[in-house]
Amino acid sequence: MSQFWSPAVRALTPYVPGEQPREKLIKLNTNENPYPPAPGVAEVLREYAIDRLRLYPDPGAHALREAIARHHDVAVEQVFVGNGSDEVLALAFKAFFERDEALAVPTISYSFYPVYCDFYGITMNRLPLTEALEVDLDAFPTDSGGVVFANPNAPTGHAHSREAIAGLLERYTERVVLVDEAYVDFGGESVVPLLARFPNLLVTGTFSKSRSLAGLRIGYAIGSPELIDGLNRVKDSFNSYPLDSIAIAAGVAAMQDDEHFRACCNAVIATRERTRAALEQADIQVLPSCTNFLFVRPRSIDAEALFTGLRERGILVRFFDKPSLNQFLRISIGTDDEMDQLIDAIYVMTGVNA
């Protein structure tokens, strides 16, 4: 540790992102989309006027917010955008959860949530999942300083219905309920339609998964104008220009091509279900998933040993070296060919006859 660090920085335990390998591997560890973005994105990049880069981007990213609003059938005043959903979440934690009451968060969910709490000094009430490794909506206490959870959940993959989350919102009305929908397009049910009934609901999303734009870092939030105003107050006290002009234009093009979006999501879902069935043949427990990944527990081989063996065979998946997760692997859904290679390697390692 540097002597120049502040005490707060010394106390931080930063988020550790998934490995971005330099060598050529089948990369199934960071939940990227295996298919390219919408064709209109390529057109934007080809035709972008380079002289525009000398100008600041639109700080309100109005064109992108309008495209998102049209897609979700909400008012543009209900949409906020930022540099990836990670930044949107970070700003939301600052805007809504710095309170005397503890923030209610599942013990197993997106591992950035406790990092934000640590960074802002937010007290956390970490609530266990059910025996089926599902977020327990009934466990969130109504006297919390807020509620945050991913739906579908990461890394477990389970998704609650819109009706079930409406039940939570009916009893939890005094603080913000943030539902992180990073993976909702792969089989989950969005709660955006509940916004008209619940002004304390904030929904976050990303272009990194279903829109294939992880490299451009586009995230968004949808909520009441009151909540969006709170986010803008924080943004404009930190960075008024979170999205560059190329990202804004490309995001609009991606959002406008619904046919490409649906085709990619459906392809990922079909491959996911085929992979699930194949892995179960290798005596691997596969949790139900509404995401672009599978959360699996091998029974005949240690999870870390399987992770290492796959890496040696040129296939990278995600292993979480934590007591509650170290018997599981998270496997992103790649192309059919990539998943076939994964399945073949696992069959060899587990002694299954293909």
Side-chain angles (χ1 to χ4, degrees), residues 52-67:
R52 290 174 59 190
L53 292 180
R54 66 184 178 81
L55 304 173
Y56 284 109
D58 173 11
H62 288 88
L64 180 56
R65 288 170 50 229
E66 287 170 355

PDB file of all heavy atoms in Angstrom, residues 52-67:
ATOM      1  N   ARG A  52     -16.254  15.587 -35.618  1.00  0.00           N
ATOM      2  CA  ARG A  52     -17.151  15.743 -34.470  1.00  0.00           C
ATOM      3  C   ARG A  52     -16.452  15.422 -33.149  1.00  0.00           C
ATOM      4  O   ARG A  52     -16.922  15.830 -32.083  1.00  0.00           O
ATOM      5  CB  ARG A  52     -18.373  14.834 -34.634  1.00  0.00           C
ATOM      6  CG  ARG A  52     -19.328  15.272 -35.730  1.00  0.00           C
ATOM      7  CD  ARG A  52     -20.435  14.262 -35.934  1.00  0.00           C
ATOM      8  NE  ARG A  52     -21.220  14.063 -34.708  1.00  0.00           N
ATOM      9  CZ  ARG A  52     -22.123  13.095 -34.561  1.00  0.00           C
ATOM     10  NH1 ARG A  52     -22.324  12.220 -35.566  1.00  0.00           N
ATOM     11  NH2 ARG A  52     -22.796  12.969 -33.444  1.00  0.00           N
ATOM     12  N   LEU A  53     -15.338  14.706 -33.208  1.00  0.00           N
ATOM     13  CA  LEU A  53     -14.656  14.326 -31.972  1.00  0.00           C
ATOM     14  C   LEU A  53     -13.989  15.509 -31.268  1.00  0.00           C
ATOM     15  O   LEU A  53     -13.601  15.394 -30.099  1.00  0.00           O
ATOM     16  CB  LEU A  53     -13.623  13.234 -32.251  1.00  0.00           C
ATOM     17  CG  LEU A  53     -14.196  11.878 -32.644  1.00  0.00           C
ATOM     18  CD1 LEU A  53     -13.072  10.882 -32.884  1.00  0.00           C
ATOM     19  CD2 LEU A  53     -15.154  11.349 -31.574  1.00  0.00           C
ATOM     20  N   ARG A  54     -13.863  16.642 -31.950  1.00  0.00           N
ATOM     21  CA  ARG A  54     -13.298  17.808 -31.272  1.00  0.00           C
ATOM     22  C   ARG A  54     -14.334  18.480 -30.367  1.00  0.00           C
ATOM     23  O   ARG A  54     -13.995  19.339 -29.549  1.00  0.00           O
ATOM     24  CB  ARG A  54     -12.768  18.811 -32.303  1.00  0.00           C
ATOM     25  CG  ARG A  54     -13.833  19.434 -33.166  1.00  0.00           C
ATOM     26  CD  ARG A  54     -13.262  20.363 -34.237  1.00  0.00           C
ATOM     27  NE  ARG A  54     -14.315  20.904 -35.076  1.00  0.00           N
ATOM     28  CZ  ARG A  54     -15.081  21.951 -34.740  1.00  0.00           C
ATOM     29  NH1 ARG A  54     -14.891  22.566 -33.586  1.00  0.00           N
ATOM     30  NH2 ARG A  54     -16.016  22.380 -35.563  1.00  0.00           N
ATOM     31  N   LEU A  55     -15.605  18.079 -30.506  1.00  0.00           N
ATOM     32  CA  LEU A  55     -16.704  18.670 -29.744  1.00  0.00           C
ATOM     33  C   LEU A  55     -17.111  17.757 -28.588  1.00  0.00           C
ATOM     34  O   LEU A  55     -17.040  16.530 -28.693  1.00  0.00           O
ATOM     35  CB  LEU A  55     -17.916  18.894 -30.647  1.00  0.00           C
ATOM     36  CG  LEU A  55     -17.684  19.752 -31.897  1.00  0.00           C
ATOM     37  CD1 LEU A  55     -18.927  19.747 -32.771  1.00  0.00           C
ATOM     38  CD2 LEU A  55     -17.290  21.170 -31.499  1.00  0.00           C
ATOM     39  N   TYR A  56     -17.558  18.351 -27.514  1.00  0.00           N
ATOM     40  CA  TYR A  56     -18.100  17.549 -26.422  1.00  0.00           C
ATOM     41  C   TYR A  56     -19.384  16.851 -26.875  1.00  0.00           C
ATOM     42  O   TYR A  56     -20.143  17.377 -27.696  1.00  0.00           O
ATOM     43  CB  TYR A  56     -18.423  18.433 -25.217  1.00  0.00           C
ATOM     44  CG  TYR A  56     -17.212  18.862 -24.417  1.00  0.00           C
ATOM     45  CD1 TYR A  56     -16.780  20.180 -24.449  1.00  0.00           C
ATOM     46  CD2 TYR A  56     -16.528  17.947 -23.631  1.00  0.00           C
ATOM     47  CE1 TYR A  56     -15.669  20.589 -23.721  1.00  0.00           C
ATOM     48  CE2 TYR A  56     -15.422  18.344 -22.892  1.00  0.00           C
ATOM     49  CZ  TYR A  56     -14.993  19.655 -22.946  1.00  0.00           C
ATOM     50  OH  TYR A  56     -13.898  20.047 -22.220  1.00  0.00           O
ATOM     51  N   PRO A  57     -19.653  15.666 -26.339  1.00  0.00           N
ATOM     52  CA  PRO A  57     -20.924  14.999 -26.660  1.00  0.00           C
ATOM     53  C   PRO A  57     -22.088  15.687 -25.949  1.00  0.00           C
ATOM     54  O   PRO A  57     -21.888  16.517 -25.055  1.00  0.00           O
ATOM     55  CB  PRO A  57     -20.709  13.585 -26.116  1.00  0.00           C
ATOM     56  CG  PRO A  57     -19.758  13.768 -24.977  1.00  0.00           C
ATOM     57  CD  PRO A  57     -18.827  14.880 -25.400  1.00  0.00           C
ATOM     58  N   ASP A  58     -23.272  15.341 -26.356  1.00  0.00           N
ATOM     59  CA  ASP A  58     -24.479  15.837 -25.687  1.00  0.00           C
ATOM     60  C   ASP A  58     -24.484  15.327 -24.246  1.00  0.00           C
ATOM     61  O   ASP A  58     -24.551  14.117 -24.014  1.00  0.00           O
ATOM     62  CB  ASP A  58     -25.711  15.333 -26.442  1.00  0.00           C
ATOM     63  CG  ASP A  58     -27.023  15.654 -25.732  1.00  0.00           C
ATOM     64  OD1 ASP A  58     -27.007  16.442 -24.760  1.00  0.00           O
ATOM     65  OD2 ASP A  58     -28.050  15.099 -26.144  1.00  0.00           O
ATOM     66  N   PRO A  59     -24.414  16.198 -23.249  1.00  0.00           N
ATOM     67  CA  PRO A  59     -24.350  15.715 -21.869  1.00  0.00           C
ATOM     68  C   PRO A  59     -25.613  14.979 -21.441  1.00  0.00           C
ATOM     69  O   PRO A  59     -25.569  14.138 -20.537  1.00  0.00           O
ATOM     70  CB  PRO A  59     -24.154  16.996 -21.053  1.00  0.00           C
ATOM     71  CG  PRO A  59     -24.655  18.093 -21.919  1.00  0.00           C
ATOM     72  CD  PRO A  59     -24.355  17.665 -23.324  1.00  0.00           C
ATOM     73  N   GLY A  60     -26.718  15.262 -22.107  1.00  0.00           N
ATOM     74  CA  GLY A  60     -27.962  14.564 -21.788  1.00  0.00           C
ATOM     75  C   GLY A  60     -28.227  13.350 -22.644  1.00  0.00           C
ATOM     76  O   GLY A  60     -29.188  12.614 -22.387  1.00  0.00           O
ATOM     77  N   ALA A  61     -27.374  13.098 -23.642  1.00  0.00           N
ATOM     78  CA  ALA A  61     -27.533  11.943 -24.543  1.00  0.00           C
ATOM     79  C   ALA A  61     -28.991  11.782 -24.967  1.00  0.00           C
ATOM     80  O   ALA A  61     -29.559  10.697 -24.921  1.00  0.00           O
ATOM     81  CB  ALA A  61     -27.008  10.679 -23.876  1.00  0.00           C
ATOM     82  N   HIS A  62     -29.579  12.890 -25.419  1.00  0.00           N
ATOM     83  CA  HIS A  62     -31.021  12.884 -25.676  1.00  0.00           C
ATOM     84  C   HIS A  62     -31.439  11.868 -26.732  1.00  0.00           C
ATOM     85  O   HIS A  62     -32.470  11.193 -26.587  1.00  0.00           O
ATOM     86  CB  HIS A  62     -31.470  14.298 -26.087  1.00  0.00           C
ATOM     87  CG  HIS A  62     -31.472  15.282 -24.968  1.00  0.00           C
ATOM     88  ND1 HIS A  62     -30.355  16.021 -24.630  1.00  0.00           N
ATOM     89  CD2 HIS A  62     -32.443  15.633 -24.089  1.00  0.00           C
ATOM     90  CE1 HIS A  62     -30.640  16.799 -23.610  1.00  0.00           C
ATOM     91  NE2 HIS A  62     -31.894  16.578 -23.242  1.00  0.00           N
ATOM     92  N   ALA A  63     -30.676  11.735 -27.810  1.00  0.00           N
ATOM     93  CA  ALA A  63     -31.060  10.799 -28.871  1.00  0.00           C
ATOM     94  C   ALA A  63     -31.114   9.373 -28.347  1.00  0.00           C
ATOM     95  O   ALA A  63     -32.031   8.604 -28.676  1.00  0.00           O
ATOM     96  CB  ALA A  63     -30.079  10.906 -30.039  1.00  0.00           C
ATOM     97  N   LEU A  64     -30.144   9.002 -27.519  1.00  0.00           N
ATOM     98  CA  LEU A  64     -30.132   7.654 -26.969  1.00  0.00           C
ATOM     99  C   LEU A  64     -31.255   7.466 -25.956  1.00  0.00           C
ATOM    100  O   LEU A  64     -31.928   6.425 -25.944  1.00  0.00           O
ATOM    101  CB  LEU A  64     -28.775   7.367 -26.323  1.00  0.00           C
ATOM    102  CG  LEU A  64     -28.604   5.987 -25.686  1.00  0.00           C
ATOM    103  CD1 LEU A  64     -28.880   4.880 -26.691  1.00  0.00           C
ATOM    104  CD2 LEU A  64     -27.202   5.850 -25.102  1.00  0.00           C
ATOM    105  N   ARG A  65     -31.463   8.449 -25.114  1.00  0.00           N
ATOM    106  CA  ARG A  65     -32.545   8.337 -24.132  1.00  0.00           C
ATOM    107  C   ARG A  65     -33.899   8.238 -24.820  1.00  0.00           C
ATOM    108  O   ARG A  65     -34.777   7.488 -24.386  1.00  0.00           O
ATOM    109  CB  ARG A  65     -32.498   9.525 -23.178  1.00  0.00           C
ATOM    110  CG  ARG A  65     -31.317   9.464 -22.206  1.00  0.00           C
ATOM    111  CD  ARG A  65     -31.128  10.746 -21.414  1.00  0.00           C
ATOM    112  NE  ARG A  65     -32.352  11.185 -20.797  1.00  0.00           N
ATOM    113  CZ  ARG A  65     -32.829  12.434 -20.877  1.00  0.00           C
ATOM    114  NH1 ARG A  65     -32.168  13.356 -21.575  1.00  0.00           N
ATOM    115  NH2 ARG A  65     -33.950  12.751 -20.275  1.00  0.00           N
ATOM    116  N   GLU A  66     -34.067   8.952 -25.912  1.00  0.00           N
ATOM    117  CA  GLU A  66     -35.327   8.866 -26.664  1.00  0.00           C
ATOM    118  C   GLU A  66     -35.513   7.467 -27.255  1.00  0.00           C
ATOM    119  O   GLU A  66     -36.631   6.922 -27.235  1.00  0.00           O
ATOM    120  CB  GLU A  66     -35.345   9.921 -27.757  1.00  0.00           C
ATOM    121  CG  GLU A  66     -35.534  11.342 -27.241  1.00  0.00           C
ATOM    122  CD  GLU A  66     -35.308  12.393 -28.306  1.00  0.00           C
ATOM    123  OE1 GLU A  66     -34.902  12.016 -29.439  1.00  0.00           O
ATOM    124  OE2 GLU A  66     -35.528  13.582 -28.019  1.00  0.00           O
ATOM    125  N   ALA A  67     -34.440   6.881 -27.770  1.00  0.00           N
ATOM    126  CA  ALA A  67     -34.534   5.529 -28.334  1.00  0.00           C
ATOM    127  C   ALA A  67     -34.880   4.506 -27.251  1.00  0.00           C
ATOM    128  O   ALA A  67     -35.694   3.596 -27.470  1.00  0.00           O
ATOM    129  CB  ALA A  67     -33.222   5.158 -29.017  1.00  0.00           C
TER     130      ALA A  67
END
